């Protein structure tokens, strides 16, 4: 994974606590220098992704977070912050 990180041009590293969570879109946002916002979906964070992108420019940020601290606990069987039954 280190090789992948070296190929990415990361603008900054941001703590998830500094980002804004949009409950309707289930997306975290952070202001981008271009005037738009970096964004990353909650489901992507729960799946282990940590790169938020700006839809208007080429900048990316790394999001610093713990999966268990995400809304819904970041565990399986969670959908939109509400527990749902999972059959095996």
């Amino acid at each position: 994974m280190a090789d992948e990180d070296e190929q990415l041009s990361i603008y900054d590293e941001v703590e998830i606590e500094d980002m804004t969570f949009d409950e309707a879109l289930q997306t975290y946002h952070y202001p981008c220098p271009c005037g738009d916002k970096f964004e990353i979906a909650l489901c992507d964070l729960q799946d282990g992704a940590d790169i938020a992108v700006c839809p208007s420019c080429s900048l990316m940020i790394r999001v610093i977070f713990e999966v268990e601290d995400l809304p819904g606990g970041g565990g399986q069987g969670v959908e939109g912050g509400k527990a749902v039954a999972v059959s095996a």
Side-chain angles (χ1 to χ4, degrees), residues 3 22 28 34 37 51 54 68 73 81 85:
D3 292 335
D22 183 326
Y28 280 90
C34 79
K37 297 178 183 176
I51 303 298
C54 176
E68 55 271 5

Side-chain angles (χ1 to χ4, degrees), residues 21 30 41 54 59 70 72 80:
F21 183 62
Y30 188 78
C54 176
L59 293 179
L70 296 173

Side-chain angles (χ1 to χ4, degrees), residues 52-71:
V53 297
C54 176
S56 296
C57 71
S58 62
L59 293 179
M60 295 178 274
I61 57 171
R62 181 175 315 282
V63 181
I64 308 301
F65 70 101
E66 296 293 329
V67 174
E68 55 271 5
D69 293 337
L70 296 173

Side-chain angles (χ1 to χ4, degrees), residues 5-66:
D5 289 345
E6 290 174 8
Q7 293 177 4
L8 292 177
S9 179
I10 305 298
Y11 171 72
D12 200 0
E13 293 188 349
V14 177
E15 297 280 342
I16 199 162
E17 294 84 10
D18 296 330
M19 299 181 78
T20 303
F21 183 62
D22 183 326
E23 288 190 43
L25 298 176
Q26 294 290 293
T27 303
Y28 280 90
H29 298 277
Y30 188 78
C32 180
C34 79
D36 203 347
K37 297 178 183 176
F38 294 103
E39 54 188 40
I40 188 166
L42 175 60
C43 61
D44 291 335
L45 290 166
Q46 290 170 333
D47 288 341
D50 66 349
I51 303 298
V53 297
C54 176
S56 296
C57 71
S58 62
L59 293 179
M60 295 178 274
I61 57 171
R62 181 175 315 282
V63 181
I64 308 301
F65 70 101
E66 296 293 329

